[in-house]
């Protein structure tokens, strides 16, 4: 185990050579190690705690072995030289903002990851593609500002998408259908301009922010089961909402300032 704050602020540390005996890397363990470039040999690593490598801008490579099951929140926050992430194929969870602002990250293999939390890859401006075919949920602003993200693979396993999850990506900008859906009937974007909107059959979930600031007057939800956070926020021309017979959940601020 490498304990909490173990190498905090070691500004001359360049490289760490670990062994299979290393199982955990603690909170803020390498925080502010400004020229640390690589961590190697941790072939038995199980958990990386929150903020372990926060503010390590020179970190380029780190082994993420198949034994790894958890990466904490903000673990690699601001690691602006990190160029690739290859998560293990087994069950793994990552925390919010785990790879926030990793601007050199161009290769992302999600392995066995099923849930992508809020802002996990926020502003990772070099990521060009991501395979979500095993993912069940994508959190708020998970890929927000990923300015090179032009290819997204997804499947019916995807059941929930958070607010502005793909905002600012070329992939989302390229979706021109009136109702843009992904996965298991998740509506993530509305490109229409009609004042009277009827949600199509087959849409089961409306993602957070999907209709934010649109100027429709009436909306019929049809067979929709869930309405996400801020889905219709600031639709300030709204005068009538038909919730339908199937609705089971309305998220935070879903119709705020309507």
């Amino acid at each position: 185990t490498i304990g909490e704050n173990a190498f905090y602020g070691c500004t001359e540390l360049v490289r760490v050579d670990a062994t299979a005996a290393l199982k955990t890397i603690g909170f803020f363990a390498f925080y502010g190690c400004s020229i640390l470039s690589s961590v190697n040999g941790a072939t038995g690593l199980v958990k990386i705690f929150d903020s372990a490598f926060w503010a390590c801008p020179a970190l380029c490579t780190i082994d993420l072995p198949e034994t790894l099951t958890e990466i904490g929140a903000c673990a690699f926050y601001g690691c602006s030289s990190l160029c690739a992430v290859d998560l293990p194929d087994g069950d793994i969870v990552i925390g919010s903002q785990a790879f926030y602002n990793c601007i050199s990250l161009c290769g992302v293999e999600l392995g066995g990851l099923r849930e992508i939390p809020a802002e996990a890859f926020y502003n990772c401006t070099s990521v060009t593609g991501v395979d979500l075919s095993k993912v069940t949920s994508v959190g708020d602003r998970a890929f927000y500002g990923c300015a090179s993200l032009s290819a997204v693979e997804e499947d019916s396993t995807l059941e929930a998408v958070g607010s502005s999850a793909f905002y600012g990506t070329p992939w989302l900008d390229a979706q021109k259908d009136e109702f843009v859906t992904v996965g298991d009937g998740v509506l993530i974007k509305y490109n229409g301009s009609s004042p009277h909107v009827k949600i199509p059959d087959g849409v089961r979930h409306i993602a957070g922010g999907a209709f934010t600031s649109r100027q429709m007057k009436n909306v019929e939800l049809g067979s929709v089961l869930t309405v996400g956070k801020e889905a219709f926020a600031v639709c300030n021309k709204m005068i009538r909402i038909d919730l339908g017979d199937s609705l089971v959940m309305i998220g935070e601020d879903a119709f705020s300032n309507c």
Side-chain angles (χ1 to χ4, degrees), residues 71-235:
I71 297 175
C74 304
F76 295 95
Y77 190 113
C79 291
S80 54
S81 296
L82 191 65
C83 54
V85 168
D86 189 354
L87 298 179
D89 291 329
D91 291 338
I92 184 170
V93 296
I94 68 174
S96 60
Q97 300 184 334
F99 298 96
Y100 189 107
N101 209 34
C102 292
I103 59 174
S104 296
L105 190 62
C106 56
V108 176
E109 297 293 336
L110 297 178
L113 187 67
R114 297 294 183 265
E115 299 180 356
I116 300 177
E119 301 182 350
F121 296 95
Y122 188 106
N123 203 44
C124 290
T125 54
S126 297
V127 173
T128 58
V130 63
D131 183 356
L132 303 178
S133 57
K134 296 180 181 179
V135 171
T136 60
S137 67
V138 178
D140 295 345
R141 300 172 298 281
F143 294 96
Y144 187 107
C146 292
S148 299
L149 183 61
S150 57
V152 175
E153 294 185 34
E154 41 82 21
D155 206 341
S156 59
T157 53
L158 185 59
E159 299 176 343
V161 177
S163 181
S164 302
F166 297 97
Y167 185 87
T169 67
W171 174 79
L172 185 61
D173 292 343
Q175 309 305 309
K176 302 302 183 184
D177 291 344
E178 182 179 13
F179 297 94
V180 179
T181 60
V182 296
D184 186 23
V186 184
L187 195 159
I188 62 171
K189 183 183 181 184
Y190 175 64
N191 287 318
S193 57
S194 173
H196 308 290
V197 176
K198 183 176 181 180
I199 306 300
D201 292 340
V203 173
R204 296 163 54 83
H205 312 281
I206 297 177
F211 291 87
T212 297
S213 299
R214 293 291 181 171
Q215 299 300 299
M216 77 280 286
K217 294 182 178 180
N218 303 314
V219 62
E220 297 179 40
L221 296 185
S223 57
V224 168
L225 298 175
T226 65
V227 176
K229 179 181 177 181
E230 300 173 347
F232 293 90
V234 203
C235 293

